[in-house]
């Protein structure tokens, strides 16, 4: 089925006979595979008598060599690509359990059980977005992770701006927005002993070419909606990898504090009145910024209070 998809990915018409010859199967078999594309992967196919078949929209499948070429020689992280998987974070955890040495990257064309923060579903249609997990070994305990999700947010933000979304900005602790609409999210998961040697899985979801969905329960946008044209997911994944590597190289030597000013300058809610939700409780205050470890600083009444990430959720005070 995926071989057929590769033949159709240019978005042009292909006759059933030509597709059958290329695949070495009958036209009836081609027809059945096309039905599978539509039903299993939710990919639209136009069928026109006398012309053949074409996809409703061109698709460019992920390619590890192309991603690595864009990332550059300085970044030699192996790239593993799955056609369909529960989640890239879970796949990375399994690879570590199977003794695959990090760092490495896991990507997928589709996730069937993608997750965001606080257990939310991350909508993951086939071939449209970026579902990306980077596995890293962490020596020396949890202090090495200070500000990590915020740091990755900066790398994602830089990548989106390089791809043409100049108005993107950050929302504490790990969302990337365009105005009020979410375009990317970050989820970090720890594996192993947090006091000693452990692994961190950095999961990143970016809406790239998605144009419509009824499954998302919040305001969202995508790279394609913002720039008005289809974007290369391989180019984006390669640039993202390069930018993450550059930020992590500095972080390893200097920690997160050197990025504090850069992060605050790109925080869309800096100085805003917000509600910080922790379960059923809410703390109301005004965003002052972050501390050197990446915790949120709020002006609460006459006091300044500091909050770390975890299960906290930030909302603008006037959100309905």
């Amino acid at each position: 089925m995926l071989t057929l998809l590769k033949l159709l990915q240019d978005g042009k018409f292909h006759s059933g006979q030509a597709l059958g010859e290329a695949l070495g199967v009958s036209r009836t078999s081609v027809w059945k595979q096309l039905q599978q594309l539509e039903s299993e992967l939710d990919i639209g196919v136009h069928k026109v008598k006398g012309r053949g078949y074409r996809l409703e929209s061109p698709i460019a499948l992920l390619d590890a060599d192309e991603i690595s070429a864009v990332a550059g020689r300085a970044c030699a992280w192996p790239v593993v690509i799955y056609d369909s998987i529960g989640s890239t974070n879970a796949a990375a955890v399994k690879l570590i359990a199977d003794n695959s040495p990090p760092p490495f990257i896991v990507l997928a064309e589709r996730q069937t059980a993608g997750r965001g923060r606080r257990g939310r579903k991350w909508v993951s249609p086939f071939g449209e977005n970026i579902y990306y997990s980077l596995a890293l070994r962490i020596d020396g305990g949890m202090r090495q992770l200070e500000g990590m999700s915020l740091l990755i947010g900066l790398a994602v933000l830089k990548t989106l701006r390089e791809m043409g979304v100049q108005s993107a900005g950050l929302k504490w602790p790990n969302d990337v927005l365009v105005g009020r609409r979410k375009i990317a999210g970050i989820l970090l998961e720890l594996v192993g002993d947090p006091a000693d040697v452990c692994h961190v899985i950095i999961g990143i979801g970016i809406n790239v070419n998605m144009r419509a969905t009824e499954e998302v329960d919040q305001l969202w946008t995508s790279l394609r909606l913002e720039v008005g044209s289809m974007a290369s997911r391989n180019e984006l994944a390669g640039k993202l990898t390069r930018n993450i590597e550059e930020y992590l190289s500095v972080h390893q030597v200097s920690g997160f504090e050197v990025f504090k000013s850069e992060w605050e300058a790109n925080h869309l809610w800096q100085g805003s009145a917000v509600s910080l939700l922790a379960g059923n409780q809410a703390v109301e205050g005004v965003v002052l910024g972050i501390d050197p470890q990446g915790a949120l600083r709020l002006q609460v009444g006459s006091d300044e209070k500091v909050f770390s990430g975890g299960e906290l959720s930030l909302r603008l005070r006037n959100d309905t």
Side-chain angles (χ1 to χ4, degrees):
M1 184 170 61
L2 288 176
T3 303
L4 173 60
L5 184 58
K6 290 177 182 178
L7 294 173
L8 292 169
Q9 67 178 330
D10 58 8
K12 298 178 181 179
F13 277 104
H14 298 263
S15 71
Q17 181 177 344
L19 291 171
E21 290 175 355
L23 296 171
V25 298
S26 67
R27 294 178 64 176
T28 300
S29 179
V30 169
W31 171 253
K32 290 180 179 178
Q33 289 189 44
L34 287 167
Q35 288 181 309
Q36 281 184 286
L37 285 179
E38 292 186 294
S39 63
E40 294 182 18
L41 301 182
D42 196 27
I43 294 176
V45 179
H46 285 307
K47 312 167 189 72
V48 178
K49 189 174 182 179
R51 301 189 69 185
Y53 310 96
R54 72 169 178 84
L55 300 182
E56 285 184 354
S57 180
I59 190 170
L61 299 175
L62 295 170
D63 182 278
D65 291 338
E66 187 175 341
I67 292 167
S68 297
V70 174
R73 293 182 180 178
C75 186
W77 297 336
V79 178
V80 180
I81 298 174
Y82 294 92
D83 296 326
S84 180
I85 200 164
S87 80
T88 56
N89 270 25
V93 171
K94 186 177 186 305
L95 286 169
I96 289 172
D98 292 340
N99 297 316
S100 294
F104 58 80
I105 296 162
V106 176
L107 286 153
E109 295 288 359
R110 177 179 71 161
Q111 296 182 124
T112 57
R115 293 176 293 113
R117 289 184 69 242
R118 309 178 81 199
R120 282 185 168 178
K121 177 182 178 181
W122 189 271
V123 176
S124 309
F126 186 95
E128 293 190 355
N129 301 326
I130 286 293
Y131 321 117
Y132 178 114
S133 293
L134 169 64
L136 298 173
R137 175 187 166 108
I138 302 296
D139 296 303
M142 291 284 286
R143 285 191 60 85
Q144 307 303 315
L145 298 178
E146 287 180 350
M148 181 70 77
S149 65
L150 280 70
L151 181 82
I152 299 301
L154 285 170
V156 174
L157 180 65
K158 181 179 179 182
T159 303
L160 287 170
R161 289 179 174 171
E162 289 174 347
M163 297 294 290
V165 188
Q166 300 302 321
S167 57
L170 300 169
K171 174 199 160 189
W172 186 90
N174 48 15
D175 287 342
V176 184
L177 309 178
V178 179
R180 302 284 286 275
R181 298 179 179 273
K182 188 169 180 175
I183 193 170
I186 298 153
L187 177 67
L188 267 61
E189 296 185 270
L190 202 62
V191 181
D193 184 355
D196 191 15
V197 177
C198 60
H199 296 93
V200 63
I201 311 299
I202 300 169
I204 301 169
I206 303 176
N207 297 331
V208 185
N209 290 318
M210 189 164 68
R211 291 180 292 174
T213 181
E214 297 179 354
E215 297 185 70
V216 182
D217 62 356
Q218 59 185 308
L219 294 174
W220 67 275
T221 188
S222 68
L223 182 57
R224 184 170 184 171
L225 290 175
E226 293 301 319
V227 303
S229 60
M230 187 173 173
S232 166
R233 292 183 301 138
N234 288 313
E235 180 185 0
L236 190 152
K239 288 182 175 181
L240 176 63
T241 299
R242 183 181 64 216
N243 289 332
I244 290 175
E245 194 277 334
E246 290 176 355
Y247 274 99
L248 286 177
S249 295
V250 178
H251 181 268
Q252 188 174 18
V253 175
S254 305
F256 179 73
E257 187 172 3
V258 297
F259 299 103
K260 179 178 179 294
S261 297
E262 180 184 354
W263 195 93
E264 289 180 332
N266 288 289
H267 190 206
L268 295 172
W269 293 5
Q270 196 77 5
S272 297
V274 298
S275 294
L276 186 65
L277 307 179
N280 294 324
Q281 297 186 337
V283 177
E284 295 191 345
V286 174
V287 177
L288 298 174
I290 55 175
D291 73 4
Q293 289 75 46
L296 182 71
R297 296 168 50 234
L298 282 186
Q299 184 74 37
V300 181
S302 59
D303 299 323
E304 177 180 324
K305 295 188 177 182
V306 178
F307 301 87
S308 297
E311 292 303 307
L312 299 176
S313 180
L314 198 61
R315 297 285 185 271
L316 287 175
R317 187 96 52 88
N318 59 357
D319 265 5
T320 56

